[in-house]
mmCIF file of all heavy atoms in Angstrom:
data_model
loop_
_atom_site.group_PDB
_atom_site.id
_atom_site.type_symbol
_atom_site.label_atom_id
_atom_site.label_comp_id
_atom_site.label_asym_id
_atom_site.label_seq_id
_atom_site.Cartn_x
_atom_site.Cartn_y
_atom_site.Cartn_z
ATOM 1 N N ILE A 908 -217.873 -64.902 109.239
ATOM 2 C CA ILE A 908 -216.647 -64.271 108.669
ATOM 3 C C ILE A 908 -216.416 -62.852 109.130
ATOM 4 O O ILE A 908 -217.448 -62.059 109.217
ATOM 5 C CB ILE A 908 -216.717 -64.280 107.105
ATOM 6 C CG1 ILE A 908 -216.782 -65.695 106.610
ATOM 7 C CG2 ILE A 908 -215.525 -63.540 106.547
ATOM 8 C CD1 ILE A 908 -215.571 -66.562 106.940
ATOM 9 N N VAL A 909 -215.289 -62.514 109.498
ATOM 10 C CA VAL A 909 -214.992 -61.163 110.017
ATOM 11 C C VAL A 909 -213.753 -60.588 109.209
ATOM 12 O O VAL A 909 -212.925 -61.383 108.737
ATOM 13 C CB VAL A 909 -214.783 -61.097 111.493
ATOM 14 C CG1 VAL A 909 -215.981 -61.452 112.240
ATOM 15 C CG2 VAL A 909 -213.610 -61.993 111.910
ATOM 16 N N THR A 910 -213.577 -59.258 109.184
ATOM 17 C CA THR A 910 -212.439 -58.584 108.584
ATOM 18 C C THR A 910 -212.163 -57.413 109.434
ATOM 19 O O THR A 910 -213.002 -56.899 110.141
ATOM 20 C CB THR A 910 -212.753 -58.267 107.122
ATOM 21 O OG1 THR A 910 -211.519 -57.920 106.501
ATOM 22 C CG2 THR A 910 -213.679 -57.040 107.137
ATOM 23 N N PRO A 911 -210.885 -56.948 109.468
ATOM 24 C CA PRO A 911 -210.493 -55.830 110.436
ATOM 25 C C PRO A 911 -211.102 -54.534 109.897
ATOM 26 O O PRO A 911 -211.313 -54.299 108.769
ATOM 27 C CB PRO A 911 -208.992 -55.880 110.416
ATOM 28 C CG PRO A 911 -208.630 -56.458 109.137
ATOM 29 C CD PRO A 911 -209.727 -57.545 108.855
ATOM 30 N N LYS A 912 -211.236 -53.523 110.890
ATOM 31 C CA LYS A 912 -211.739 -52.223 110.530
ATOM 32 C C LYS A 912 -210.763 -51.487 109.650
ATOM 33 O O LYS A 912 -211.078 -50.488 108.973
ATOM 34 C CB LYS A 912 -211.999 -51.408 111.804
ATOM 35 C CG LYS A 912 -210.852 -51.119 112.648
ATOM 36 C CD LYS A 912 -211.198 -50.406 113.914
ATOM 37 C CE LYS A 912 -210.073 -50.094 114.831
ATOM 38 N NZ LYS A 912 -210.466 -49.316 115.994
ATOM 39 N N SER A 913 -209.407 -51.929 109.620
ATOM 40 C CA SER A 913 -208.464 -51.258 108.781
ATOM 41 C C SER A 913 -208.473 -51.753 107.313
ATOM 42 O O SER A 913 -207.637 -51.351 106.548
ATOM 43 C CB SER A 913 -207.042 -51.525 109.367
ATOM 44 O OG SER A 913 -206.801 -52.991 109.406
ATOM 45 N N MET A 914 -209.435 -52.639 106.987
ATOM 46 C CA MET A 914 -209.450 -53.220 105.711
ATOM 47 C C MET A 914 -209.489 -52.225 104.561
ATOM 48 O O MET A 914 -208.807 -52.328 103.531
ATOM 49 C CB MET A 914 -210.728 -54.129 105.596
ATOM 50 C CG MET A 914 -210.760 -55.071 104.321
ATOM 51 S SD MET A 914 -209.443 -56.309 104.367
ATOM 52 C CE MET A 914 -208.642 -56.011 102.839
ATOM 53 N N ASP A 915 -210.305 -51.153 104.743
ATOM 54 C CA ASP A 915 -210.377 -50.164 103.699
ATOM 55 C C ASP A 915 -209.021 -49.493 103.322
ATOM 56 O O ASP A 915 -208.707 -49.362 102.138
ATOM 57 C CB ASP A 915 -211.356 -48.979 104.121
ATOM 58 C CG ASP A 915 -212.832 -49.428 104.076
ATOM 59 O OD1 ASP A 915 -213.358 -49.584 102.963
ATOM 60 O OD2 ASP A 915 -213.433 -49.635 105.197
ATOM 61 N N ASP A 916 -208.289 -49.161 104.392
ATOM 62 C CA ASP A 916 -206.996 -48.515 104.145
ATOM 63 C C ASP A 916 -205.882 -49.530 103.582
ATOM 64 O O ASP A 916 -205.161 -49.195 102.700
ATOM 65 C CB ASP A 916 -206.467 -47.921 105.435
ATOM 66 C CG ASP A 916 -207.312 -46.738 105.810
ATOM 67 O OD1 ASP A 916 -207.868 -46.042 104.961
ATOM 68 O OD2 ASP A 916 -207.395 -46.501 107.094
ATOM 69 N N GLU A 917 -205.981 -50.748 104.206
ATOM 70 C CA GLU A 917 -204.982 -51.668 103.764
ATOM 71 C C GLU A 917 -205.159 -52.401 102.431
ATOM 72 O O GLU A 917 -204.244 -52.882 101.829
ATOM 73 C CB GLU A 917 -204.807 -52.768 104.949
ATOM 74 C CG GLU A 917 -204.311 -52.089 106.205
ATOM 75 C CD GLU A 917 -204.025 -53.064 107.278
ATOM 76 O OE1 GLU A 917 -204.427 -54.296 107.175
ATOM 77 O OE2 GLU A 917 -203.427 -52.747 108.309
ATOM 78 N N LEU A 918 -206.417 -52.402 101.982
ATOM 79 C CA LEU A 918 -206.793 -53.004 100.719
ATOM 80 C C LEU A 918 -205.893 -52.356 99.585
ATOM 81 O O LEU A 918 -205.421 -53.036 98.700
ATOM 82 C CB LEU A 918 -208.170 -52.922 100.402
ATOM 83 C CG LEU A 918 -208.664 -53.469 99.039
ATOM 84 C CD1 LEU A 918 -208.371 -54.923 98.984
ATOM 85 C CD2 LEU A 918 -210.108 -53.195 98.808
ATOM 86 N N LYS A 919 -205.785 -51.025 99.630
ATOM 87 C CA LYS A 919 -205.079 -50.320 98.524
ATOM 88 C C LYS A 919 -203.599 -50.748 98.495
ATOM 89 O O LYS A 919 -203.019 -50.828 97.392
ATOM 90 C CB LYS A 919 -205.180 -48.836 98.665
ATOM 91 C CG LYS A 919 -204.655 -48.235 99.921
ATOM 92 C CD LYS A 919 -204.915 -46.767 100.087
ATOM 93 C CE LYS A 919 -204.337 -46.187 101.401
ATOM 94 N NZ LYS A 919 -204.665 -44.715 101.503
ATOM 95 N N HIS A 920 -202.966 -51.034 99.677
ATOM 96 C CA HIS A 920 -201.667 -51.448 99.730
ATOM 97 C C HIS A 920 -201.481 -52.929 99.195
ATOM 98 O O HIS A 920 -200.544 -53.229 98.470
ATOM 99 C CB HIS A 920 -201.058 -51.396 101.203
ATOM 100 C CG HIS A 920 -201.074 -50.007 101.731
ATOM 101 N ND1 HIS A 920 -200.655 -48.953 101.035
ATOM 102 C CD2 HIS A 920 -201.447 -49.536 102.973
ATOM 103 C CE1 HIS A 920 -200.674 -47.810 101.803
ATOM 104 N NE2 HIS A 920 -201.227 -48.232 102.911
ATOM 105 N N LEU A 921 -202.466 -53.761 99.505
ATOM 106 C CA LEU A 921 -202.479 -55.088 99.002
ATOM 107 C C LEU A 921 -202.560 -55.143 97.514
ATOM 108 O O LEU A 921 -201.905 -55.942 96.765
ATOM 109 C CB LEU A 921 -203.570 -55.947 99.687
ATOM 110 C CG LEU A 921 -203.444 -56.141 101.208
ATOM 111 C CD1 LEU A 921 -204.687 -56.773 101.710
ATOM 112 C CD2 LEU A 921 -202.269 -56.914 101.581
ATOM 113 N N ILE A 922 -203.443 -54.274 96.976
ATOM 114 C CA ILE A 922 -203.643 -54.186 95.513
ATOM 115 C C ILE A 922 -202.423 -53.762 94.913
ATOM 116 O O ILE A 922 -201.959 -54.269 93.828
ATOM 117 C CB ILE A 922 -204.854 -53.273 95.236
ATOM 118 C CG1 ILE A 922 -206.212 -53.897 95.599
ATOM 119 C CG2 ILE A 922 -204.815 -52.867 93.679
ATOM 120 C CD1 ILE A 922 -207.418 -52.947 95.454
ATOM 121 N N TYR A 923 -201.722 -52.769 95.474
ATOM 122 C CA TYR A 923 -200.474 -52.275 94.918
ATOM 123 C C TYR A 923 -199.442 -53.383 94.864
ATOM 124 O O TYR A 923 -198.762 -53.531 93.849
ATOM 125 C CB TYR A 923 -199.956 -51.073 95.749
ATOM 126 C CG TYR A 923 -198.478 -50.742 95.446
ATOM 127 C CD1 TYR A 923 -198.178 -49.968 94.372
ATOM 128 C CD2 TYR A 923 -197.424 -51.331 96.237
ATOM 129 C CE1 TYR A 923 -196.824 -49.645 94.058
ATOM 130 C CE2 TYR A 923 -196.105 -50.972 95.897
ATOM 131 C CZ TYR A 923 -195.837 -50.132 94.775
ATOM 132 O OH TYR A 923 -194.554 -49.852 94.528
ATOM 133 N N ILE A 924 -199.287 -54.148 96.001
ATOM 134 C CA ILE A 924 -198.244 -55.234 96.031
ATOM 135 C C ILE A 924 -198.524 -56.267 94.954
ATOM 136 O O ILE A 924 -197.621 -56.602 94.115
ATOM 137 C CB ILE A 924 -198.276 -55.870 97.378
ATOM 138 C CG1 ILE A 924 -197.677 -54.928 98.455
ATOM 139 C CG2 ILE A 924 -197.474 -57.186 97.364
ATOM 140 C CD1 ILE A 924 -197.907 -55.412 99.899
#
Side-chain angles (χ1 to χ4, degrees):
I908 297 299
V909 296
T910 196
K912 63 181 181 180
S913 59
M914 190 69 234
D915 287 287
D916 292 330
E917 295 186 349
L918 177 64
K919 62 184 179 183
H920 298 315
L921 297 172
I922 289 173
Y923 168 82
I924 290 171

